[in-house]
Amino acid sequence: MSADVETSLRAPQAYELARTALAAMETHKVWPTALNFELWVHYVAAKDSPLGAEIDQMLEANEPFTDAVGETLAAKFLPKQKLSSEILDTGDALSKELDSVTRAIVSARESSEAYDQELANASESLAGEDTGKIKSMVETLTQATQRVRQENQTLESQLADTTAEVGRLREHLEQTRREAMTDGLTGLANRKSFDEALEHACQQAEAEGGTLSLAVLDIDHFKAFNDTWGHQTGDQVLRYVASVIGRFGDAPRTAARYGGEEFALIFPGETARAALAMLEDIRLEVASRVLKRRSTNEDLGAVTLSAGLAERHAGEGPAALIERADAALYASKRGGRNRTSAADPIAAEAA
Ligand code: C2E
């Protein structure tokens, strides 16, 4: 949520804003989940924002606002603030820990300096002194040694606590990072993660003169499916398709949910010919399963996929590569769906 919306929610008109958001949600049959509420408060507070424009477009096209849509919009428009506040919290905790270690080290250094000083004083006054005085100096030195030993023990145990705490913070940060890169519904890489992986793969292919292929896959007639069977079942179909695509997405490949019912696979180091064979396996496997509606056990029939594939041309960046893979996907749709098309004739011959 942007700072402006956050501010509006702490102003006299806050309840009005919340009521407007809820009323709009009810009108458009959007479940009042926390995530949806966050999105819709943002929407009613700033309709001219990119999020507002996207929701307006959906409403105009009469597209249902499913959980999957909510998650996609949140991943696109909301996570930066969430992520940065979590990172800030973690960073704060980390810096507190570091402060405490620094204080402990300073105090140990000061004690050890004082100890050195006491030793120096003692050795200076030793010359020509009587045994009584020497005895008392030895006692002072023994006490100073004990003090330093105790302080070292405290420091050691503080360091052990801090190491454990830093380990926990690192784990938390890693989990936050993973969540920020993952699509909540399907567990695949999200759009942000996909964009980064494709950018990196293009740069690497350019630098090393390597091969790189990209596939985009779209579930056929998904909107009609959602309308017939409901969004919950629609979400399960997304998870099913994702589970099949995900099996082909081991590193260095990336399997991602690219948009609502659209997926993508990045194939670093692989030709379109090799990628095409895998896409066909995915397509046939998805189409071969007759799905059941979990609540009623009714047959849902099979779901089919259309796919488009492009092998990167020398000098080509992510946007141009996506555009060619998308064009191939639309060729599949126009050609009757449940098929894979390749952007390049050579790859198409290999089919
Ligand atoms: P899920 O319901 O969480 O199921 C996870 C995995 O558990 C499935 O992975 C499958 O290996 C196993 N599993 C769950 N229920 C059954 C079952 O009734 N029979 C069998 N043989 N195995 C089962 P899978 O197949 O990759 O599916 C991933 C997700 O796709 C599922 O998550 C579910 O959300 C969705 N899905 C898959 N098949 C269907 C279906 O026929 N109907 C619906 N509504 N959703 C399905």
Side-chain angles (χ1 to χ4, degrees), residues 130-146:
D130 62 23
T131 23
K133 198 150 188 204
I134 290 178
K135 201 173 158 217
S136 121
M137 276 190 292
V138 168
E139 272 165 14
T140 307
L141 288 178
T142 309
Q143 280 163 11
T145 310
Q146 275 167 357

Side-chain angles (χ1 to χ4, degrees), residues 233 236-237 239-240 243 247 289-294 300:
T233 303
Q236 287 187 338
V237 168
R239 290 179 55 194
Y240 168 61
S243 77
R247 285 204 287 280
R289 177 128 152 210
V290 176
L291 298 169
K292 292 258 181 215
R293 191 180 196 193
R294 293 264 153 99
L300 301 171

Side-chain angles (χ1 to χ4, degrees), residues 38-348:
E38 191 176 350
L39 284 163
W40 280 72
V41 163
H42 201 131
Y43 168 64
V44 296
K47 285 199 172 174
D48 54 353
S49 64
L51 169 65
E54 201 143 319
I55 293 183
D56 275 340
Q57 221 174 1
M58 284 186 58
L59 297 180
E60 265 166 42
N62 239 345
E63 285 180 37
F65 198 96
T66 61
D67 284 354
V69 167
E71 279 167 17
T72 305
L73 289 176
K76 203 164 161 188
F77 295 106
L78 301 180
K80 268 190 194 145
Q81 276 80 16
K82 276 193 199 153
L83 182 63
S84 59
S85 72
E86 284 190 50
I87 285 174
L88 282 179
D89 288 346
T90 311
D92 281 348
L94 195 58
S95 72
K96 271 190 200 133
E97 279 302 317
L98 291 177
D99 276 348
S100 110
V101 176
T102 309
R103 271 198 306 276
I105 288 171
V106 167
S107 136
R109 201 189 57 224
E110 283 170 354
S111 325
S112 128
E113 278 168 2
Y115 179 57
D116 280 348
Q117 192 55 51
E118 279 179 76
L119 277 179
N121 294 346
S123 74
E124 236 176 65
S125 20
L126 261 178
E129 291 298 340
D130 62 23
T131 23
K133 198 150 188 204
I134 290 178
K135 201 173 158 217
S136 121
M137 276 190 292
V138 168
E139 272 165 14
T140 307
L141 288 178
T142 309
Q143 280 163 11
T145 310
Q146 275 167 357
R147 228 175 29 243
V148 169
R149 194 176 301 133
Q150 261 168 14
E151 295 207 10
N152 279 348
Q153 271 166 1
T154 310
L155 177 63
E156 263 170 40
S157 95
Q158 242 173 326
L159 273 178
D161 288 352
T162 302
T163 308
E165 186 57 21
V166 167
R168 277 193 291 275
L169 290 169
R170 194 171 293 141
E171 235 168 64
H172 177 67
L173 205 58
E174 182 52 32
Q175 193 188 338
T176 306
R177 201 190 63 81
R178 260 200 313 273
E179 280 168 9
M181 303 302 269
T182 305
D183 171 55
L185 182 71
T186 63
L188 295 184
N190 63 16
R191 174 67 182 268
K192 175 179 158 63
S193 177
F194 165 82
D195 285 341
E196 285 179 13
L198 187 62
E199 176 80 46
H200 174 74
C202 282
Q203 282 171 1
Q204 196 170 29
E206 189 66 26
E208 296 169 6
T211 318
L212 167 66
S213 297
L214 170 71
V216 285
L217 308 96
D218 190 89
I219 303 177
D220 294 327
H221 302 299
F222 185 71
K223 284 187 182 70
F225 187 95
N226 253 343
D227 291 344
T228 311
W229 299 106
H231 306 315
Q232 261 185 344
T233 303
D235 283 354
Q236 287 187 338
V237 168
L238 287 172
R239 290 179 55 194
Y240 168 61
V241 170
S243 77
V244 177
I245 294 175
R247 285 204 287 280
F248 291 81
D250 283 346
R253 296 183 203 133
T254 299
R257 180 157 167 233
Y258 184 63
E261 69 263 27
E262 207 173 347
F263 298 87
L265 262 166
I266 304 172
F267 298 91
E270 290 178 276
T271 59
R273 186 184 296 253
L276 193 61
M278 275 174 268
L279 286 181
E280 283 302 277
D281 286 348
I282 292 172
R283 191 178 65 78
L284 294 174
E285 187 175 337
V286 166
S288 70
R289 177 128 152 210
V290 176
L291 298 169
K292 292 258 181 215
R293 191 180 196 193
R294 293 264 153 99
S295 51
T296 58
N297 216 26
E298 286 165 273
D299 272 0
L300 301 171
V303 174
T304 61
L305 290 179
S306 295
L309 174 65
E311 186 174 318
R312 182 180 171 274
H313 293 163
E316 196 170 46
L321 184 57
I322 293 173
E323 204 174 298
R324 287 197 304 115
D326 259 339
L329 167 64
Y330 284 110
S332 287
K333 294 278 183 189
R334 277 197 310 274
R337 299 184 164 86
N338 189 19
R339 68 194 60 213
T340 303
S341 307
D344 297 315
I346 296 172

